[in-house]
Amino acid sequence: MMCSLKMVSPRPPTTIFGLQRQITANGDGFPTFLPKGVKDIKDPFARALAQKIVRIPVPLQMENFRGCVMSSCIKPTVQLPDKSPVVLLHCFDSSCLEWRRAYPLLEQACLETWAIDVLGWGFSDLQKLPPCDAASKRHHLFELWKTYIKRPMILVGPSLGATVAVDFTATYPEAVDKLVLINANVYSEGTGALKDLPKSIAYAGVKLLKSFPLRLLANVLAFSSPLSENIDWTNIGRLHCQMPWWEDAMVNFMISGGYNVASHIKLINHKTLVVCSENDQIVSNQLSVKLLCELQNAVFREVPDSGHLPHVENPAQFVKLISDFASGKLN
């Protein structure tokens, strides 16, 4: 099979592994469970990837929840049993649409690629809300892996997604082949004082978190892009906030205390690619160097001409790193 790193907008198939996509009655190609705001998105890569989002049942058996969560993700169009699948997480309070520009390139690079919405974010059906603390997010990812992926994976996490990846790998080392940690935010100590806020104040803070001005400011810090593009990317980044359960899930995560994984880092002996961006204004490159020193088996690469999310700003360079790392070319 011939593969290239040419930026093209893929045509999503009607079915993925036999799973029928849910299509709106007017034939626009978007799953019915996505918020209506998806139709206003202009980025062709985001629109194409949104059409590939499906929900798959993930069984959860936890102390305060028993049931099946219809979990949103993007499944690969092909399975490659002889290679480790690449599983993409996303940043704090984001979704699989974060991978809109890198995902088609990863597939063109002949990598079996999944993009997973972490429990409590993304586009899953959480009307019957499960706990959304760190332990529940970890358990959900494991059950999804055990049910569908079933092979050690190359787990990719940007920013807080790197924290999710470290937390998961420390608990379920058998599920991971290699790690890729991008501008990793792994040294923060949970949600801090936010966990002690009265619920009324927590809900007010969450409403502010999803506001367009605050999200636009975050995008300006993350990307060096024209204003018109940043506005569209802001709409992409906050689309999942329109899910009816989102505020409850965010408050649940906030008051749970969040993640605190710094003590897990030295326990991980998996081959790890530590990636940092040349112009990251959110996570200091010094923290990536610190992470490199604490991991037992890691290599380091910097992505030029990109900010906090190199997989959005410089996807071809980023995918080349992932492809070389998956094939063993990076040492």
Side-chain angles (χ1 to χ4, degrees):
M1 178 166 53
M2 296 298 292
C3 303
S4 67
L5 295 182
K6 183 181 178 182
M7 278 289 255
V8 296
S9 181
R11 297 180 62 185
T14 303
T15 59
I16 302 177
F17 290 171
L19 182 63
Q20 186 72 33
R21 290 186 297 122
Q22 301 175 37
I23 304 300
T24 53
N26 62 12
D28 60 17
F30 296 117
T32 56
F33 54 77
L34 292 184
K36 293 180 180 179
V38 69
K39 299 177 184 179
D40 299 324
I41 290 173
K42 298 179 177 60
D43 187 312
F45 301 102
R47 292 179 66 88
L49 201 60
Q51 293 177 21
K52 296 184 71 172
I53 299 174
V54 297
R55 282 174 170 172
I56 55 178
V58 176
L60 292 183
Q61 300 292 322
M62 299 183 292
E63 184 177 351
N64 298 318
F65 185 87
R66 297 287 188 277
C68 219
V69 171
M70 293 302 295
S71 304
S72 50
C73 68
I74 298 164
K75 299 178 71 175
T77 53
V78 295
Q79 286 181 304
L80 302 170
D82 58 331
K83 296 182 180 179
S84 297
V86 174
V87 177
L88 308 172
L89 304 176
H90 54 70
C91 293
F92 170 74
D93 190 24
S94 185
S95 77
C96 56
L97 287 180
E98 186 178 302
W99 293 98
R100 55 194 176 271
R101 299 201 165 196
Y103 189 93
L105 299 183
L106 287 163
E107 287 205 318
Q108 290 173 23
C110 304
L111 295 169
E112 177 185 330
T113 307
W114 298 70
I116 306 295
D117 280 338
V118 176
L119 182 70
W121 297 313
F123 305 103
S124 300
D125 182 4
L126 301 184
Q127 291 288 70
K128 183 182 177 183
L129 189 72
C132 293
D133 57 0
S136 300
K137 294 178 190 295
R138 178 176 64 241
H139 179 61
H140 171 263
L141 179 57
F142 177 72
E143 290 298 327
L144 190 153
W145 172 82
K146 184 174 71 172
T147 305
Y148 297 99
I149 301 173
K150 302 178 183 179
R151 290 172 287 143
M153 55 186 168
I154 299 174
L155 188 57
V156 182
S159 196
L160 186 80
T163 305
V164 177
V166 167
D167 175 71
F168 180 87
T169 305
T171 307
Y172 302 111
E174 72 279 7
V176 178
D177 178 24
K178 297 179 179 180
L179 276 173
V180 180
L181 307 177
I182 310 155
N183 295 320
N185 184 19
V186 294
Y187 293 105
S188 60
E189 297 181 356
T191 56
L194 296 178
K195 69 179 185 297
D196 299 320
L197 289 175
K199 275 198 171 181
S200 59
I201 303 299
Y203 273 98
V206 163
K207 288 182 184 294
L208 178 63
L209 180 63
K210 75 173 180 180
S211 67
F212 184 86
L214 187 63
R215 295 271 174 160
L216 179 60
L217 176 60
N219 263 38
V220 170
L221 289 175
F223 305 113
S224 53
S225 303
L227 179 61
S228 60
E229 191 170 63
N230 262 326
I231 289 174
D232 190 45
W233 287 4
T234 298
N235 288 329
I236 296 168
R238 66 191 293 269
L239 183 66
H240 69 284
C241 299
Q242 300 173 36
M243 300 299 289
W245 46 260
W246 177 82
E247 290 185 9
D248 295 330
M250 277 299 302
V251 169
N252 187 288
F253 176 71
M254 184 187 302
I255 65 178
S256 74
Y259 283 94
N260 192 338
V261 303
S263 62
H264 297 343
I265 295 170
K266 293 181 180 179
L267 304 177
I268 293 175
N269 58 14
H270 297 69
K271 186 71 174 179
T272 303
L273 172 61
V274 176
V275 178
C276 77
S277 296
E278 182 181 25
N279 303 316
D280 190 356
Q281 299 185 59
I282 296 177
V283 175
S284 169
N285 289 0
Q286 293 179 356
L287 293 179
S288 294
V289 174
K290 179 180 178 181
L291 177 61
L292 175 71
C293 295
E294 292 192 0
L295 287 165
Q296 298 182 39
N297 187 14
V299 294
F300 180 88
R301 291 294 186 275
E302 182 180 78
V303 180
D305 302 321
S306 61
H308 191 55
L309 303 182
H311 45 295
V312 178
E313 285 194 286
N314 197 341
Q317 178 73 22
F318 173 78
V319 169
K320 179 68 164 55
L321 287 177
I322 298 294
S323 180
D324 287 349
F325 184 60
S327 65
K329 293 180 182 178
L330 288 186
N331 296 305

